[in-house]
Amino acid sequence: MPANLLKERLKSGEPTFVFSVRMSRTVNIVSLAQATGYHGLYVDLQHSSISIDTAAQICTTALHSEVTAFVRVPSLEPGLISRVLDAGSQGILAPDIRSAADAKALVKAALIAPKGDRSVGGGIPNPRFRGLSGGALAGAINDATLLIAMIETEEGVAAAADIIGVDGIDAIQIGSNDLTTSMGIPGQYKHERVQEAYRKVIEACKAAGKPLIIGGIRKSDELEPYVRMGAARCYFTGADSVFMVEGAKMFLNEAKNADATITG
């Protein structure tokens, strides 16, 4: 089994499905992800109250599954990035990257020398690295660590080629909600300015031979133009909290319809 299945799927261009964890606090979410056919999940430490300890339990459990678990961090603080990776996260989703300097800071914090400056700690034993030690282990860890730089501003769009060109950055994701909000056109995913931003970033990613991941867009008619442009077939489908709300609504409506049929 590859050390990072999600990273391998991104490289191969296969359809890939990921959701975020903001509400779940137990390792059962990993089993749910695998049972429903997801390839990855990320624990969102930026937009939730989940603790590092809870993230560690989820990520460590995922190491024994076919689901790749990684973490969205709230900042590029090296200590935080190192801690979640030591705790079993198989990658970092880093928000609001605006420059090559930001991207280099992410690589420096997340990867082990010679690529980065991450401290070599004991960490959580990864069953996929059994038998490796020393330089071979460090190299395997670096190769298996997925680093996704999020672009969420026009400043980031302008620097896309420099960002994706940083050695160690595996992909860019456009955070469409924050990008459109920063542009003053929140939620207008088909706006010509948004399309131009996507076009520029996709071209930069193509030139670097790395994927561009669409973030924040879920409807097929809004996704289509960007997939046609060359965005990766990697879909971030939403958050566990949204799934709960939408599922609860659906089953409530079914019960109401059933009641109306029975009593009507």
Side-chain angles (χ1 to χ4, degrees):
M1 179 187 295
N4 190 319
L5 289 165
L6 182 63
K7 189 169 181 177
E8 292 303 312
R9 289 187 72 90
L10 279 171
K11 286 180 179 179
S12 70
E14 298 175 81
T16 305
F17 303 92
V18 178
F19 70 90
S20 66
V21 176
R22 296 181 180 176
M23 182 180 69
S24 302
R25 298 294 191 273
T26 70
V27 300
N28 302 50
I29 195 66
V30 176
S31 297
L32 186 151
Q34 182 155 319
T36 52
Y38 278 87
H39 305 106
L41 61 82
Y42 71 90
V43 183
D44 193 348
L45 297 188
Q46 183 187 23
H47 291 299
S48 79
S49 61
I50 292 177
S51 68
I52 291 179
D53 182 63
T54 297
Q57 303 307 316
I58 293 170
C59 290
T60 303
T61 299
L63 293 176
H64 300 271
S65 76
E66 295 179 359
V67 175
T68 299
F70 56 108
V71 172
R72 176 157 69 177
V73 292
S75 72
L76 293 175
E77 201 279 305
L80 174 61
I81 290 172
S82 179
R83 286 184 71 191
V84 298
L85 290 170
D86 283 349
S89 173
Q90 290 189 270
I92 298 293
L93 180 62
D96 199 18
I97 301 298
R98 300 186 181 216
S99 65
D102 286 346
K104 288 176 182 177
L106 171 59
V107 171
K108 185 176 181 181
L111 300 185
I112 298 167
K115 286 191 172 184
D117 196 30
R118 177 182 159 203
S119 175
V120 182
I124 299 294
N126 187 330
R128 299 175 194 178
F129 298 141
R130 187 180 295 115
L132 296 179
S133 62
L137 177 59
I141 291 171
N142 282 347
D143 289 344
T145 301
L146 175 64
L147 298 183
I148 303 174
M150 293 188 72
I151 286 180
E152 303 179 279
T153 63
E154 290 180 283
E155 182 181 354
V157 170
D162 294 332
I163 292 168
I164 198 63
V166 172
D167 185 26
I169 298 297
D170 296 298
I172 283 177
Q173 182 187 64
I174 292 182
S176 304
N177 289 320
D178 279 327
L179 178 62
T180 57
T181 299
S182 72
M183 288 177 160
I185 48 173
Q188 296 184 45
Y189 305 127
K190 298 168 91 171
H191 194 284
E192 59 184 21
R193 289 172 59 201
V194 179
Q195 293 193 35
E196 182 55 33
Y198 262 95
R199 186 174 293 105
K200 180 168 185 174
V201 181
I202 288 171
E203 287 175 357
C205 288
K206 282 182 177 178
K210 299 177 184 179
L212 179 283
I213 301 169
I214 303 167
I217 304 177
R218 296 175 183 89
K219 295 180 180 178
S220 60
D221 65 312
E222 294 172 334
L223 286 165
E224 182 176 7
Y226 305 124
V227 175
R228 298 288 185 199
M229 284 181 195
R233 295 164 66 196
C234 179
Y235 305 100
F236 281 48
T237 64
D240 57 350
S241 53
V242 176
F243 300 162
M244 178 69 79
V245 170
E246 293 303 315
K249 285 181 181 177
M250 181 183 72
F251 286 111
L252 176 62
N253 287 334
E254 285 187 4
K256 287 180 176 179
N257 290 337
D259 180 69
T261 300
I262 294 165
T263 61

